Amino acid sequence: MTHNSHKYALTAEHLGPQLDKNLIQQALDVSGLSSTFIGQDRAKAALNFAIGMDMPGYNLYVMGEPALGRYTLVQDILQQAASEKATPDDWCYINNFDDERIPGTLRLVPGEGKVLVKKVEALIDELLDTFPAAFDNPGYQRKKKAIHQEFDDKYEAAIELVERKALEQQVVLYEENGAVSFSPVVDGKALDDNEFANLSEEKRQFFYDLVSELETILNEQLLELPQWKRELSENLRALRRETIEQAIKPLLKQLEHDYSGELGVLRYLREMKPALVKAMLELLPEEAESDKLEELDIRGIFVGDFVPNVLMHHELMDGAPIIFEPNPSYGNLFGRVEYSSMQGSLYTNYRMIRPGALHKANGGYLVLDADRLLSQPSLWDALKLALKTGEILIDTLSDHAVTNSTIITPKAIPLSVKIVLLGSRDLYYLVQDVDDEFNELFRVLADFEHYLPFNEQTVRYMSLQIQDQIQQMDMETLSACGLKQLLNFSFRQAEHQRKLSARFAEVLELVREACFYAAQHDSTELRAEHVQMALEGKQYRTGRISESFLEDIQEGQILIDTDDWAVGKINGLTVLEIGDTAFGTPARISTTVFAGSTGVVDIEREVELGKSIHSKGVMLLTGYLGAKYAQHFPLTLSANIAMEQSYGLIDGDSASLAEVCALISGIADIPITQSLAVTGSINQHGQVQAIGGVNEKIEGFFRLCQSRGLTGKQGCIIPASNQLNLVLNDEVIKAVEQGQFHIYVVKGVDEALELLMDMPAGERNSKGQYPKRTINYLALRRLEEIAEIVNGSSDS
């Protein structure tokens, strides 16, 4: 290794955040603190602004990734705002007696919806208790008897006249079961059928003619009988109607008095009265027919026709509602109309209208998952229309409804709601581009950051919530070392030495798992070793694939060297993400260089395994080589670059530093040490740029070297700009501290080449030449030779 390699090496103190012991000790004292949401001041300001702007269009889009506490913060702020806001009115659907297919709406002060229902049900119960018993009243029976008597008098007078004429002709009149018949009288005795048959033909004919004449007279006298019966029925019906109206009047009067200030209820009661009378006339028949319907069935019919359907009910001091709808379908959002089966067909009415999330949140706040909502274009359009018109309309005529012979169209309800969408960053910008109305309806953006500031206040509030969590897990105390280990985990999640991860839910998840291990060891104090057990336990549960990769390398199935030297071969560092796990593993990158003019060929791109960003990184190598070496001759070479034993898609440009080093090794025929692994991207000027997953990459190569035995020469080369992202585990830090493993940071390609090839890279002098016996000199000479070979062969 070069004598100046130490200037690129990091010490153990650089490999993770340095936590002040006093800060940790002070953070354990949480007396006087109340639980609050940590960080996200920008998002809090946006939420407070959106809630304070009580105007149309100031709905809110909450942008950020899951587990950043979006829902928790939104809920906390909305609950505070909702408690200070007026409780919205109750809404009911009522029967439209003029057209039952268009149910009407009724607006009531908070809490009055269910009260009105109880009072209308009590009215129905009182009426059913009153009738048909009220028809037994002596006054009613007397009037009814008088009506019947009037009919009987007319009937009897007609019958008496016919009977008198019959007696004059020696014929007697019989009336039985409403049927009138005649019988001849001989010698003062009415003849029966046998006696009449024994009469002479002349005598029988005489009586036949006589009876026919009498029947004609009878028909003339009873000609108006149907009219008399109609008058009887009408008079009886009028009597029953009058009796019912007299019974209903005081009951409705009491209801009208109770709701004298509610014009909507008074209007409904006035419309209800004639329909109620009509229903009682039809459903409460005469005493002789009173057994046709059971009282329970009659009550159900009355309830189904007259009792309001309370769509939304609020208690007076509830404040504004906060509704979270996790599955925003059309029915769940706008409500629906249910159906029941009746005699083989579907039936519905206003009582079967069910509220949606918009009804429940009306007058308050509705929280929706943006991804689920916007994946249904028709639903998104319907929501926008509702927000623009300020009305909730249950659409029963579109594809959302049940097609049936009975279709109702409920009247719209005025809408006043604040919508909060929880969604990702990519979705927000996508909808902005494709939907011009989005910015008009969602004017406020709450952007959740991925990081929390590392300061005393943040650490104290984190400590408070951690201690609250361990108390819920029946633990007593949190140790300083335990808090430090949890903070290190948060730094690791943030991949930053000066910032904590905003995904605090993952810290609490780790706390719960650590409490499990602490309980197994009969400890009432959460310590660092318990946190470490939880981390190792999760690593063991999810580490089968990473261990399988390591075993394949140890068995030689995947070729990776960790010592010796080789030309055109280098250990790159990759991160594999499978499910919710991510781990680093080394990958061999190889190059071959020969005389030709095909340029640098990316084999991964040629076989369509390299995605766009990876291909871009390889293409930059040509630009770097040309700018670095080919200022006075054409850059002419043929080279192949491949990620060996890679059988899946590759993306990202973090291998471009390793690829350029392997390429220069192949050009200059200088071997590269295999004890170092490299990660980093480069630009066309050879500057090394930051990459992601640096901790996993280093630890993946460390595990391989550790399994083979640390030699003190092994290590990783990373971009200098990634030093702030180092939050390595204790094993790596200890190995670096003991000189058994090394972490080098570089800013340019030349620095990486010096570390890998153990010789100076060389800098151009004033004449633009590189010193002899340097890497750049040998590379330049080789490129000149290839250019001469190729150009010379082409000239010939």
Side-chain angles (χ1 to χ4, degrees):
M1 194 62 63
T2 61
H3 66 280
N4 61 351
S5 61
H6 65 276
K7 72 178 183 181
Y8 303 122
L10 297 179
T11 63
E13 290 75 19
H14 297 131
L15 305 184
Q18 301 302 307
L19 296 175
D20 183 46
K21 293 182 179 179
N22 293 330
L23 175 64
I24 299 296
Q25 201 62 44
Q26 292 171 4
L28 291 173
D29 181 12
V30 294
S31 57
L33 291 181
S34 58
S35 183
T36 185
F37 194 87
I38 305 172
Q40 304 295 355
D41 294 335
R42 190 191 310 274
K44 289 178 184 176
L47 282 164
N48 289 322
F49 173 75
I51 292 170
M53 290 293 291
D54 194 12
M55 297 176 64
Y58 283 89
N59 297 296
L60 180 69
Y61 188 99
V62 179
M63 183 169 70
E65 303 305 318
L68 293 178
R70 296 177 302 170
Y71 180 72
T72 302
L73 179 58
V74 168
Q75 190 177 43
D76 290 347
I77 293 180
L78 290 185
Q79 283 178 346
Q80 177 62 34
S83 64
E84 300 171 357
K85 198 172 182 179
T87 305
D89 292 333
D90 287 357
W91 280 97
C92 308
Y93 272 111
I94 54 177
N95 197 355
N96 183 349
F97 301 107
D98 294 330
D99 187 353
E100 293 185 353
R101 294 177 181 271
I102 308 177
T105 57
L106 184 61
R107 187 173 191 163
L108 295 166
V109 297
E112 280 298 320
K114 290 186 177 180
V115 174
L116 177 61
V117 167
K118 290 181 179 179
K119 290 185 177 181
V120 176
E121 288 178 344
L123 168 68
I124 293 172
D125 290 337
E126 290 182 19
L127 289 175
L128 293 178
D129 290 341
T130 303
F131 294 95
F135 296 140
D136 296 331
N137 183 279
Y140 173 82
Q141 291 296 329
R142 185 171 57 254
K143 292 178 182 179
K144 179 181 177 182
K145 187 175 182 180
I147 294 171
H148 278 286
Q149 187 63 47
E150 182 181 357
F151 172 81
D152 292 342
D153 289 346
K154 292 179 180 179
Y155 182 79
E156 291 297 333
I159 295 297
E160 185 178 351
L161 176 62
V162 175
E163 185 177 23
R164 188 167 57 250
K165 288 184 178 292
L167 289 175
E168 292 175 355
Q169 301 294 332
Q170 297 297 310
V171 175
V172 65
L173 182 148
Y174 289 100
E175 184 178 6
E176 185 176 359
N177 295 330
V180 177
S181 62
F182 296 94
S183 179
V185 177
V186 177
D187 299 332
K189 179 184 176 183
L191 301 180
D192 58 19
D193 291 341
N194 292 331
E195 292 173 337
F196 180 77
N198 292 330
L199 294 177
S200 64
E201 180 67 25
E202 182 181 358
K203 198 71 172 175
R204 289 200 304 271
Q205 186 61 43
F206 170 76
F207 281 116
Y208 281 141
D209 295 339
L210 185 60
V211 168
S212 177
E213 181 182 349
L214 290 172
E215 286 178 344
T216 301
I217 296 172
L218 177 64
N219 289 335
E220 291 175 352
Q221 293 298 316
L222 296 180
L223 187 63
E224 296 181 355
L225 180 62
Q227 181 179 347
W228 297 342
K229 287 186 176 181
R230 285 196 301 271
E231 291 176 353
L232 172 65
S233 297
E234 289 173 0
N235 291 336
L236 288 175
R237 189 175 182 85
L239 175 61
R240 295 179 71 240
R241 180 183 289 108
E242 180 184 354
T243 304
I244 292 171
E245 287 177 349
Q246 291 298 321
I248 289 177
K249 186 175 181 179
L251 300 178
L252 287 177
K253 197 72 176 178
Q254 181 60 46
L255 273 177
E256 290 173 353
H257 175 74
D258 293 343
Y259 292 95
S260 58
E262 296 283 351
L263 296 179
V265 178
L266 293 177
R267 188 183 306 111
Y268 177 60
L269 293 176
R270 283 197 298 270
E271 294 171 354
M272 179 199 296
K273 183 177 179 180
L276 191 60
V277 172
K278 179 181 178 182
M280 295 192 70
L281 283 171
E282 295 174 354
L283 297 176
L284 298 176
E286 291 294 336
E287 295 81 357
E289 303 174 354
S290 60
D291 293 334
K292 286 187 177 181
L293 292 174
E294 297 181 0
E295 181 178 347
L296 183 61
D297 295 332
I298 296 175
R299 186 182 189 279
I301 294 173
F302 273 90
V303 168
D305 286 344
F306 299 103
V307 175
N309 174 17
V310 181
L311 204 66
M312 279 314 303
H313 172 78
H314 305 281
E315 295 299 335
L316 185 58
M317 301 304 292
D318 279 350
I322 303 171
I323 304 298
F324 174 65
E325 177 51 61
N327 182 27
S329 63
Y330 189 90
N332 290 345
L333 203 57
F334 285 89
R336 61 189 181 276
V337 177
E338 295 180 345
Y339 293 82
S340 63
S341 178
M342 180 178 292
Q343 296 180 350
S345 62
L346 296 178
Y347 166 78
T348 189
N349 67 1
Y350 78 100
R351 295 274 300 171
M352 303 176 76
I353 301 172
R354 298 293 176 259
L358 283 171
H359 296 99
K360 298 174 184 177
N362 201 4
Y365 308 96
L366 176 60
V367 184
L368 298 171
D369 184 284
D371 294 87
R372 292 179 180 271
L373 173 67
L374 293 167
S375 64
Q376 307 172 70
S378 60
L379 179 60
W380 171 239
D381 289 338
L383 178 61
K384 290 191 296 182
L385 181 61
L387 292 175
K388 287 188 290 186
T389 60
E391 290 183 340
I392 315 171
L393 181 63
I394 301 177
D395 185 1
T396 59
L397 300 176
S398 69
D399 296 337
H400 309 296
V402 177
T403 303
N404 190 267
S405 57
T406 302
I407 296 177
I408 62 174
T409 306
K411 286 187 177 180
I413 290 178
L415 174 65
S416 174
V417 68
K418 186 80 69 176
I419 304 290
V420 179
L421 292 183
L422 303 180
S424 64
R425 192 176 305 274
D426 293 341
L427 181 63
Y428 175 77
Y429 294 119
L430 174 63
V431 179
Q432 267 194 330
D433 288 340
V434 300
D435 193 334
D436 295 335
E437 296 174 318
F438 180 73
N439 285 335
E440 297 177 11
L441 297 174
F442 291 85
R443 300 177 185 272
V444 185
L445 170 67
D447 190 355
F448 272 67
E449 299 177 3
H450 292 83
Y451 306 107
L452 297 176
F454 175 53
N455 53 42
E456 181 180 352
Q457 182 182 18
T458 301
V459 175
R460 287 195 69 194
Y461 277 108
M462 286 184 66
S463 174
L464 171 64
Q465 295 199 23
I466 291 170
Q467 293 186 52
D468 288 343
Q469 184 67 57
I470 66 173
Q471 289 175 5
Q472 294 177 23
M473 300 295 293
D474 296 328
M475 300 291 292
E476 294 182 2
T477 57
L478 172 67
S479 69
C481 63
L483 177 59
K484 180 180 179 181
Q485 191 76 356
L486 290 168
L487 290 174
N488 274 328
F489 173 78
S490 184
F491 282 118
R492 175 63 177 257
Q493 295 303 101
E495 288 190 296
H496 205 286
Q497 295 181 358
R498 299 174 188 171
K499 295 178 182 178
L500 295 165
S501 172
R503 301 167 70 95
F504 190 65
E506 296 181 352
V507 176
L508 295 181
E509 179 185 346
L510 179 61
V511 170
R512 291 189 290 269
E513 295 176 7
C515 288
F516 169 79
Y517 289 100
Q520 283 193 330
H521 290 78
D522 298 324
S523 174
T524 59
E525 183 180 49
L526 188 66
R527 300 184 57 80
E529 54 263 31
H530 304 138
V531 178
Q532 189 61 34
M533 288 178 189
L535 291 171
E536 291 173 355
K538 185 171 185 178
Q539 173 62 33
Y540 178 74
R541 294 192 300 271
T542 61
R544 186 188 64 82
I545 297 177
S546 62
E547 291 179 4
S548 176
F549 268 86
L550 184 60
E551 289 176 1
D552 289 344
I553 295 173
Q554 291 173 330
E555 293 171 358
Q557 297 183 30
I558 297 178
L559 301 178
I560 300 290
D561 294 329
T562 55
D563 56 18
D564 212 346
W565 299 75
V567 173
K569 296 179 183 178
I570 194 171
N571 292 325
L573 294 175
T574 64
V575 172
L576 298 180
E577 294 185 8
I578 302 174
D580 62 344
T581 63
F583 59 91
T585 182
R588 174 176 286 180
I589 298 171
S590 65
T591 63
T592 56
V593 179
F594 48 92
S597 58
T598 57
V600 179
V601 176
D602 177 14
I603 293 178
E604 308 299 330
R605 182 179 63 183
E606 294 299 317
V607 298
E608 298 183 353
L609 287 179
K611 299 180 75 174
S612 56
I613 298 178
H614 176 265
S615 299
K616 175 186 175 183
V618 176
M619 293 174 71
L620 288 174
L621 302 185
T622 303
Y624 171 72
L625 292 177
K628 183 78 172 178
Y629 302 113
Q631 295 294 323
H632 304 291
F633 61 90
L635 180 63
T636 308
L637 82 161
S638 291
N640 291 336
I641 297 180
M643 187 86 68
E644 293 186 359
Q645 294 182 282
S646 170
Y647 308 106
L649 293 175
I650 298 173
D651 199 13
D653 59 353
S654 63
S656 57
L657 174 60
E659 288 167 340
V660 75
C661 291
L663 184 58
I664 292 174
S665 170
I667 292 170
D669 196 27
I670 303 174
I672 289 176
T673 179
Q674 303 298 294
S675 60
L676 296 179
V678 181
T679 184
S681 70
I682 65 166
N683 59 24
Q684 294 187 90
H685 298 285
Q687 295 173 309
V688 179
Q689 303 166 143
I691 44 84
V694 63
N695 295 295
E696 289 81 4
K697 291 177 177 179
I698 292 173
E699 290 170 358
F701 188 66
F702 174 79
R703 283 195 299 271
L704 173 61
C705 296
Q706 187 183 43
S707 67
R708 291 179 171 178
L710 297 173
T711 63
K713 297 180 180 180
Q714 298 143 334
C716 294
I717 298 174
I718 65 171
S721 51
N722 277 123
Q723 181 180 334
L724 270 178
N725 305 118
L726 294 178
V727 188
L728 294 167
N729 62 37
D730 292 339
E731 279 189 309
V732 178
I733 294 175
K734 185 177 180 181
V736 171
E737 193 173 22
Q738 295 175 351
Q740 296 179 325
F741 195 77
H742 306 279
I743 311 292
Y744 302 102
V745 293
V746 296
K747 296 181 180 179
V749 173
D750 285 352
E751 296 174 357
L753 291 173
E754 290 182 350
L755 289 168
L756 291 166
M757 300 178 182
D758 196 18
M759 63 184 298
E763 295 183 9
R764 288 183 184 272
N765 56 26
S766 58
K767 296 180 180 181
Q769 298 175 341
Y770 290 108
K772 294 183 179 180
R773 293 184 294 278
T774 63
I775 299 170
N776 289 327
Y777 174 80
L778 296 175
L780 178 62
R781 287 291 303 275
R782 177 59 177 158
L783 287 173
E784 287 178 338
E785 291 174 1
I786 294 176
E788 290 176 2
I789 294 172
V790 174
N791 293 333
S793 61
S794 63
D795 291 340
S796 62

